């Protein structure tokens, strides 16, 4: 009877649209989220990824023919609460959006300091413990692979048992202030080597001041490697 009345009143397109709409369901979104998480986490050594929705739209209808697109909100954690925007994109780019959040956990590497690591120490494999365990909270910049920090220099004091993060370390200085190194001076095809005392610390590629150990004159040279520097005159 409603269909007949709709035809009489010219409302059939509205009825058809209503019939074609469907409700957003958790299993469909969960499959999309898990697929994205596995692609991100598996290369980092995480397995058995699980999620539990902490926020999900109670009623979100969209046309059956619409494409569902999942986008992660900025500022997420690797594990823990992660937030997503769900968009249903229909004909002519018409978009409906909803938001959800999920608590994510997984089995993976938990990298922690074996004992106190003082600032300035180069990180060695013996400085850390790595355990495979279920983790339910992990910052995005947490270390998941020793290759990320091996031979890097601690830029702060790291307490025993602390979980290591990428901003806890830095590239070590190639030359330290006060260090006496051999500096290569190149002019055309002529090469001369002198010993210079570094007046500041620096990384590879930095120009830092040196003091000639014989003449005591100061000069600048480019650091080309660990304990190496060079001056090139055109």
């Amino acid at each position: 009877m409603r269909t007949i009345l709709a035809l009489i009143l010219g409302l059939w397109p509205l009825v058809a649209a209503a019939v074609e709409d469907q409700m957003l369901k958790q299993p469909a979104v969960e499959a999309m989220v898990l697929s994205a998480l596995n692609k991100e986490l598996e290369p980092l050594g995480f397995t058995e990824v699980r999620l539990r929705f902490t926020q999900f739209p109670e009623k979100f209808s969209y046309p059956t023919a619409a494409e569902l697109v999942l986008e992660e909100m900025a500022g997420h954690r690797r594990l823990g609460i992660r937030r997503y925007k769900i968009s249903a994109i229909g004909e002519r780019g018409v978009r409906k959006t909803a938001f959800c959040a999920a608590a994510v956990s997984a089995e993976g590497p938990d990298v922690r300091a074996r004992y106190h690591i003082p600032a300035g120490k180069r990180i060695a494999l013996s400085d850390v413990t790595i355990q495979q365990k279920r983790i339910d909270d992990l910052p995005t910049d947490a270390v998941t692979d020793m290759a990320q920090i091996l031979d890097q220099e601690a830029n702060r004091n790291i307490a025993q048992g602390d979980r290591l993060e990428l901003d806890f370390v830095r590239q070590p200085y190639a030359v330290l202030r006060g260090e006496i190194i051999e500096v290569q001076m190149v002019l055309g095809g002529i090469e001369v080597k002198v010993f210079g005392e570094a007046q500041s610390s620096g990384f590879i590629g930095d120009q830092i001041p040196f003091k000639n150990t014989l003449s005591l004159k100061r000069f600048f040279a480019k650091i080309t490697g660990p304990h190496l520097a060079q001056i090139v005159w055109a």
Side-chain angles (χ1 to χ4, degrees):
M1 188 66 180
R2 287 182 56 192
T3 302
I4 295 172
L5 183 60
L7 283 169
I8 294 172
L9 298 177
L11 298 177
W12 173 251
L14 296 178
V15 174
V19 170
E20 292 176 1
D21 276 4
Q22 62 179 335
M23 299 299 295
L24 185 69
K25 296 182 179 179
Q26 283 196 17
V29 178
E30 181 175 343
M32 294 174 67
V33 173
L34 282 175
S35 175
L37 287 172
N38 283 322
K39 288 180 181 178
E40 173 195 332
L41 296 173
E42 283 182 0
L44 300 177
F46 290 91
T47 59
E48 297 185 33
V49 181
R50 300 174 189 168
L51 66 86
R52 175 179 55 83
F53 285 109
T54 57
Q55 174 190 343
F56 198 86
E58 292 185 7
K59 293 182 180 180
F60 180 74
S61 61
Y62 63 96
T64 302
E67 177 189 6
L68 284 181
V69 177
L70 185 74
E71 300 174 68
E72 182 152 17
M73 308 297 289
H76 72 265
R77 296 178 72 78
R78 186 78 67 194
L79 297 174
I81 299 297
R82 298 183 66 157
R83 294 175 172 81
Y84 299 90
K85 179 172 74 173
I86 308 160
S87 300
I89 303 175
E91 295 182 1
R92 300 178 183 177
V94 176
R95 180 188 295 257
K96 292 184 66 177
T97 59
F99 299 89
C100 68
V104 179
S105 66
E107 294 278 343
D110 188 35
V111 183
R112 296 180 181 268
R114 186 186 300 274
Y115 43 71
H116 173 74
I117 302 174
K121 184 184 187 304
R122 289 200 180 191
I123 305 296
L125 190 60
S126 59
D127 293 325
V128 305
T129 62
I130 306 175
Q131 293 183 327
Q132 288 290 125
K133 59 186 293 188
R134 176 150 293 277
I135 304 172
D136 56 15
D137 185 51
L138 190 71
T140 305
D141 58 355
V143 173
T144 57
D145 186 343
M146 272 302 297
Q148 296 173 302
I149 60 169
L150 195 61
D151 290 328
Q152 296 293 297
E153 186 177 279
N155 60 15
R156 67 186 71 188
N157 291 319
I158 304 172
Q160 180 179 9
D162 277 359
R163 175 178 284 143
L164 296 182
E165 298 184 16
L166 295 177
D167 62 357
F168 287 6
V169 298
R170 67 184 175 198
Q171 177 187 354
Y173 287 121
V175 174
L176 295 174
R177 180 181 180 184
E179 184 177 5
I180 297 175
I181 68 169
E182 194 173 70
V183 181
Q184 183 183 41
M185 297 183 173
V186 181
L187 176 59
I190 303 173
E191 294 184 9
V192 178
K193 294 180 180 179
V194 300
F195 287 97
E197 180 184 337
Q199 302 300 290
S200 64
S201 300
F203 302 104
I204 293 175
D206 286 350
Q207 291 268 2
I208 66 170
F210 287 88
K211 182 172 69 175
N212 189 306
T213 55
L214 293 178
S215 67
L216 302 183
K217 290 184 177 180
R218 294 175 180 266
F219 60 91
F220 280 83
K222 182 179 180 180
I223 299 173
T224 56
H227 319 297
L228 296 173
Q230 186 183 65
I231 303 174
V232 178
W233 285 288

